[in-house]
Amino acid sequence: MGKGGEKGEEEGGCEKMLTHYTWEEIQKHNSKTDKWLVIDRKVYNVTNWALKHPGGIRVISHFAGEDATDAFQAFHPDLTFVRKFMKPLLIGELAPGEPSQDRQKKSELVEDFRALRKTAEDMKLFKTDMVFFSLYLAHLFVLEFLAWLTLSYFGTGWIPTLLTALILATSQGASGNWWNHRHFQHHAKPNIFNKDPDVNMLKVFVLGDTQPVEFGKRKIKFLPYNYQHEYFFLIGPPLLIPVYFYIQIMMTMITRRDWVDLAWATTYYIRYFNTYVPFYGFFGSILFVIFVRFIESHWFVWVTQMNHIPMTIDDEKHKDWLTMQLDSTCNIEQSSFNDWFSGHLNFQIEHHLFPTMPRHNYYKIAPLVKSLCNKHGLNYQVKPLLQAFKDIIGSLKKSGDLWLDAYLNK
């Protein structure tokens, strides 16, 4: 079934017989209990390994039955090290007559993108500048000091409290392992329902063009979605971090036993309460940190969603890596303020194409990405910051209107 023969491969002095498979056969193995994927034309059975996968079971399972070469390269900085764990999973390779890409993906486009990645490697764009990140960390400590200094000098009136909260909101963080566990799923299949956790809106919002119509036809009405562009201001930016993310972060650190992250979080709160209890008291300090998270949540939602909600959001279409990222992502115009304010997420296209590339190198690879897009007629979308914010609301309104039309008329 789907096998085109066998061939020998020399490995460590022993000959290992590799079975040939067609894409038709490989694509059958894409269930929870049966997962195959292809990397550099080699076929791997990752059914059992997925449970042990350091990046989590979901991110590797998203590519079951597909070519995962570009995703594999995107998420693993040390390919030589990772390949050592892949040898026991190898079960065969693509038959000689099979294309390297599945589902009619354009070979020239895929190969051109891989050549671009090789260029980025030759330019050493995946090398971290420790000076940059040392200065970045130092500036966070400076902000924390300024926050303390503001209260020490001006007191705890509402204006100094507001200024201090704004300063602290720009210097917050979260569990790195939680972020990678969640965010790599988003990078692997951005804006794809049932795969990207960032478009799992718990039926609070409907997104894109297809989901609203589906909900409308099925008469699903958990909320009046035709007003979602209005209630977004009440439950989106204000509540994401203080409620949903905060609970999820703590539970993830405990259930996944991320003791290092938990230790960092603990030291932060020890430092925080030692600093602010003298100003606000214990319970006042708890209210103050909630207020800081409330402000931070507004920044987070607007900055992270301006690149994605207005873009294509749909079911899995099995696109190549470059096309998939471009359809679901856009950039924001570069400026010193935009770079700082967004944490270089204004280069969201480059961030998605090369998720392990340090942020300080995005601007270097961006012209090459744009040139590749022009060659293949792909839309490399760049917006002004305020327009990107506006497009979030416009997109939510459009999806809400689609839902209402389907709900009433279909």
Side-chain angles (χ1 to χ4, degrees):
M1 289 181 59
K3 301 176 183 177
E6 297 178 338
K7 74 177 232 180
E9 181 182 271
E10 293 293 331
E11 191 172 295
C14 299
E15 186 176 272
K16 181 179 180 180
M17 302 304 295
L18 291 181
T19 304
H20 288 159
Y21 294 100
T22 64
W23 278 115
E24 181 182 5
E25 172 68 18
I26 293 166
Q27 288 166 9
K28 296 176 183 177
H29 301 270
N30 65 347
S31 67
K32 291 183 178 180
T33 57
D34 185 19
K35 302 181 181 73
W36 293 8
L37 52 78
V38 176
I39 298 173
D40 292 326
R41 296 189 62 86
K42 296 291 191 290
V43 183
Y44 298 89
N45 184 343
V46 299
T47 305
N48 296 323
W49 168 249
L51 297 172
K52 308 172 187 176
H53 184 231
I57 185 174
R58 287 180 58 83
V59 69
I60 193 172
S61 299
H62 289 343
F63 291 92
E66 296 183 38
D67 176 58
T69 303
D70 293 308
F72 174 74
Q73 293 178 344
F75 295 125
H76 300 99
D78 189 345
L79 298 181
T80 302
F81 175 76
V82 176
R83 289 185 191 279
K84 295 178 181 179
F85 298 92
M86 296 170 59
K87 291 180 181 179
L89 312 177
L90 181 64
I91 60 171
E93 63 184 0
L94 289 172
E98 290 292 300
S100 296
Q101 285 76 45
D102 59 297
R103 295 179 173 87
Q104 308 302 313
K105 295 172 183 173
K106 297 179 181 180
S107 297
E108 182 183 1
L109 187 154
V110 172
E111 293 305 319
D112 281 353
F113 173 73
R114 292 175 184 173
L116 173 61
R117 181 178 181 85
K118 180 63 170 59
T119 299
E121 292 171 353
D122 293 341
M123 294 171 65
K124 302 188 184 303
L125 297 185
F126 292 94
K127 185 177 180 180
T128 300
D129 183 347
M130 296 307 298
V131 173
F132 172 87
F133 284 104
S134 296
L135 292 173
Y136 193 84
L137 180 61
H139 118 278
L140 296 180
F141 285 124
V142 169
L143 288 173
E144 288 195 7
F145 174 74
L146 287 175
W148 171 82
L149 189 63
T150 300
L151 294 181
S152 297
Y153 188 79
F154 295 104
T156 56
W158 72 268
I159 293 179
T161 295
L162 179 59
L163 288 174
T164 302
L166 289 171
I167 293 171
L168 287 176
T170 65
S171 61
Q172 302 303 296
S175 163
N177 285 334
W178 166 81
W179 180 248
N180 288 337
H181 175 69
R182 178 187 176 89
H183 202 55
F184 282 169
Q185 294 180 53
H186 163 67
H187 273 265
K189 293 289 184 176
N191 282 16
I192 295 177
F193 292 122
N194 300 316
K195 292 188 175 182
D196 179 2
D198 286 6
V199 294
N200 176 18
M201 295 294 177
L202 304 176
K203 299 179 180 178
V204 175
F205 301 100
V206 290
L207 302 176
D209 295 339
T210 59
Q211 186 188 58
V213 175
E214 178 187 351
F215 273 41
K217 288 181 176 179
R218 293 166 57 191
K219 309 306 176 187
I220 297 175
K221 186 183 179 181
F222 288 91
L223 286 168
Y225 298 122
N226 51 311
Y227 294 107
Q228 65 179 6
H229 61 291
E230 296 178 358
Y231 66 69
F232 168 80
F233 293 93
L234 300 176
I235 63 178
L239 300 181
L240 183 65
I241 288 182
V243 179
Y244 180 63
F245 271 10
Y246 189 78
I247 295 172
Q248 190 182 68
I249 288 169
M250 298 305 296
M251 289 183 62
T252 300
M253 287 192 294
I254 294 171
T255 57
R256 290 175 60 86
R257 299 181 179 180
D258 292 331
W259 306 129
V260 174
D261 278 12
L262 190 60
W264 274 108
T266 301
T267 60
Y268 168 78
Y269 284 108
I270 290 174
R271 189 172 74 251
Y272 170 82
F273 283 110
N274 281 337
T275 303
Y276 294 103
V277 165
F279 294 107
Y280 297 107
F282 180 73
F283 291 106
S285 296
I286 293 176
L287 292 176
F288 183 58
V289 76
I290 293 173
F291 180 55
V292 170
R293 293 295 188 184
F294 169 82
I295 295 175
E296 179 192 7
S297 187
H298 282 77
W299 170 87
F300 181 87
V301 170
W302 288 101
V303 167
T304 59
Q305 298 310 307
M306 65 183 179
N307 307 99
H308 295 298
I309 284 183
M311 305 302 288
T312 301
I313 305 175
D314 206 344
D315 296 317
E316 175 68 88
K317 301 300 182 185
H318 301 289
K319 300 173 184 177
D320 64 86
W321 183 259
L322 176 62
T323 303
M324 176 177 66
Q325 304 296 349
L326 286 167
D327 284 351
S328 59
T329 308
C330 68
N331 278 6
I332 307 303
E333 291 177 345
Q334 184 185 15
S335 69
S336 297
F337 174 78
N338 287 351
D339 289 354
W340 173 80
F341 181 73
S342 68
H344 292 90
L345 291 182
N346 50 329
F347 289 98
Q348 189 74 200
I349 293 173
E350 290 70 28
H351 173 59
H352 265 254
L353 292 175
F354 309 105
T356 60
M357 181 180 289
R359 65 176 72 177
H360 52 74
N361 287 330
Y362 292 156
Y363 78 96
K364 297 178 182 178
I365 195 65
L368 301 181
V369 174
K370 187 175 182 179
S371 177
L372 177 61
C373 292
N374 290 337
K375 175 181 178 181
H376 291 278
L378 299 174
N379 186 19
Y380 183 93
Q381 193 170 156
V382 183
K383 302 178 181 179
L385 180 65
L386 295 181
Q387 182 62 49
F389 289 162
K390 182 180 177 181
D391 286 349
I392 295 176
I393 306 306
S395 177
L396 290 173
K397 186 178 188 307
K398 176 185 175 184
S399 297
D401 290 343
L402 288 171
W403 169 81
L404 182 63
D405 178 66
Y407 188 85
L408 295 176
N409 303 315
K410 296 182 182 180

